[in-house]
Amino acid sequence: MIANQDRQDPTLTRRRFFAVAGAIGVSAGLAACGGTADEGRDDTGNWEFPDGRGGTVRTEGTPSRVVAFTGSAGALVDYGVREPLVGIFGEARDPDMSGELDPGSVTVVGDAWGQFDIEKYATLEPDLLVTDSYVPGRLWYVPDDNLATIESANPNVIAVQIAGQRLPDIIARYRDLAAALGADTATQAVAAAEQRFAAASQAVRDAVAARPGLRVLAASATPELFYASDPRASADLSYFTELGVEFVVPDQVDPGGYFQSLSWETADRYPVDLILLDDRSSGLQPAALADRPVWRSLPAVVAGQVAPWSPIFRFSHAATAPLLERLATTIRDAKRVR
């Protein structure tokens, strides 16, 4: 992968795709485990858009066959992109990620972590792939073993950087990309979603002001470990911090920068008033934690102040406004208990 130079667009065909795949020895991995449209044009009239990894994708015409991570596709649909989307990958049937996109209207290239069917992808003859990037150099839901194949056959890959970025800025990138792909991002529906986002942000500010001193921990739980999230690394948590939420900042963070791993014996390291618990199916939820003595002893748990937190979502005003509204309600209903 060459992330720091411009990538020109060869026409992708199924034959060429597998020729390239065979040449680099990965053909066996068929299923490995406000902007304006003007932004999408360079001085010569060709389509272009910055890749979050440092380069710029350039094509002779506006991409018309787009394959995207489900959350990316859902965000683009929120801003008016429809026809260019031909395929999705990653949790394709999660309505929170797909939003208004009907998964049945596109080809599902992969539906779980580690799945990416290269043969299906090639058959679609895509001219652009879009996904998020939470770790530098890695694409969300694209298996590392397949990345060289995908980019060698179709170098037009746009990664929207998530780590270390402000939530409003990430949303703006998706809106800009939608506009560059030809969508009208100035519709009444888009404006209403933006207004709802602004109102929800203010609701969080107001809730925090009404509950001064409330201390919050964002966490994930597995049978082996309790993870204290670093709000500085996550786009949503860092934005919540901007709105005034007082989060615990772990005193030591694991490699990767997202959280501190704690044994269950030390899960009480940070006394807090409210716990936002990762609600993904990969993590343990409150009912499954009820038999753990340390968990039961936490002040927030004793007070019943444990609320769901969705750390993975689609980046649009329409998708994030409800998350902010939920947070505002959670804070208003909480009290200091430590």
Side-chain angles (χ1 to χ4, degrees):
M1 178 182 67
I2 301 175
N4 295 315
Q5 71 178 45
D6 297 341
R7 294 186 290 279
Q8 301 297 324
D9 174 32
T11 299
L12 175 64
T13 65
R14 191 169 186 271
R15 178 182 298 175
R16 182 179 184 278
F17 189 99
F18 284 107
V20 173
I24 63 175
V26 292
S27 59
L30 295 181
C33 94
T36 66
D38 290 341
E39 179 171 351
R41 299 293 170 186
D42 63 16
D43 292 339
T44 65
N46 292 331
W47 191 88
E48 66 173 19
F49 199 84
D51 174 18
R53 295 167 295 171
T56 299
V57 171
R58 289 189 171 90
T59 66
E60 291 185 1
T62 302
S64 60
R65 300 188 63 78
V66 179
V67 174
F69 164 58
T70 303
S72 301
L76 290 173
V77 169
D78 285 340
Y79 289 114
V81 174
R82 293 284 182 177
E83 291 184 3
L85 291 168
V86 295
I88 57 175
F89 56 91
E91 309 299 339
R93 290 163 183 82
D94 181 348
D96 291 333
M97 299 305 295
S98 58
E100 295 299 316
L101 172 68
D102 176 11
S105 67
V106 293
T107 297
V108 176
V109 175
D111 195 20
W113 187 263
Q115 290 184 3
F116 195 103
D117 192 321
I118 298 180
E119 186 170 14
K120 271 188 181 179
Y121 178 76
T123 302
L124 290 173
E125 298 191 358
D127 47 17
L128 182 66
L129 184 148
V130 180
T131 189
D132 296 329
S133 180
Y134 287 86
V135 178
R138 301 182 68 180
L139 304 183
W140 192 239
Y141 272 88
V142 177
D144 292 342
D145 291 345
N146 290 345
L147 181 55
T149 311
I150 292 166
E151 290 203 313
S152 293
N154 172 25
N156 299 322
V157 176
I158 291 175
V160 177
Q161 286 295 334
I162 306 302
Q165 304 297 310
R166 295 182 66 249
L167 177 61
D169 294 340
I170 299 170
I171 292 173
R173 290 314 292 155
Y174 270 109
R175 185 172 183 168
D176 289 346
L177 178 57
L181 290 171
D184 179 1
T185 62
T187 64
Q188 184 175 355
V190 171
E194 187 172 10
Q195 291 167 1
R196 182 180 176 185
F197 176 90
S201 296
Q202 186 59 48
V204 174
R205 293 189 188 96
D206 295 342
V208 170
R211 296 291 182 269
L214 194 76
R215 197 165 188 240
V216 184
L217 173 67
S220 302
T222 69
E224 298 79 21
L225 295 169
F226 185 66
Y227 298 94
S229 294
D230 186 345
R232 299 168 297 184
S234 299
D236 57 342
L237 299 182
S238 63
Y239 184 62
F240 299 164
T241 301
E242 287 185 37
L243 299 178
V245 179
E246 182 186 335
F247 279 104
V248 164
V249 177
D251 52 29
Q252 184 177 348
V253 180
D254 295 4
Y258 278 96
F259 49 75
Q260 179 182 22
S261 301
L262 299 172
S263 67
W264 276 105
E265 291 75 16
T266 62
D268 57 356
R269 185 182 187 92
Y270 303 110
V272 295
D273 306 299
L274 171 65
I275 297 174
L276 301 181
L277 188 65
D278 186 338
D279 64 0
R280 289 177 291 177
S281 59
S282 57
L284 298 181
Q285 301 308 309
L289 295 170
D291 62 348
R292 296 180 178 268
V294 174
W295 170 261
R296 292 200 309 268
S297 72
L298 298 177
V301 175
V302 172
Q305 296 184 168
V306 178
W309 167 46
S310 305
I312 303 298
F313 49 89
R314 68 186 195 275
F315 290 95
S316 70
H317 292 111
T320 53
L323 301 181
L324 288 162
E325 292 166 350
R326 182 176 70 180
L327 177 64
T329 299
T330 296
I331 293 174
R332 280 197 303 269
D333 291 344
K335 61 183 179 180
R336 292 187 62 177
V337 295
R338 54 189 163 85

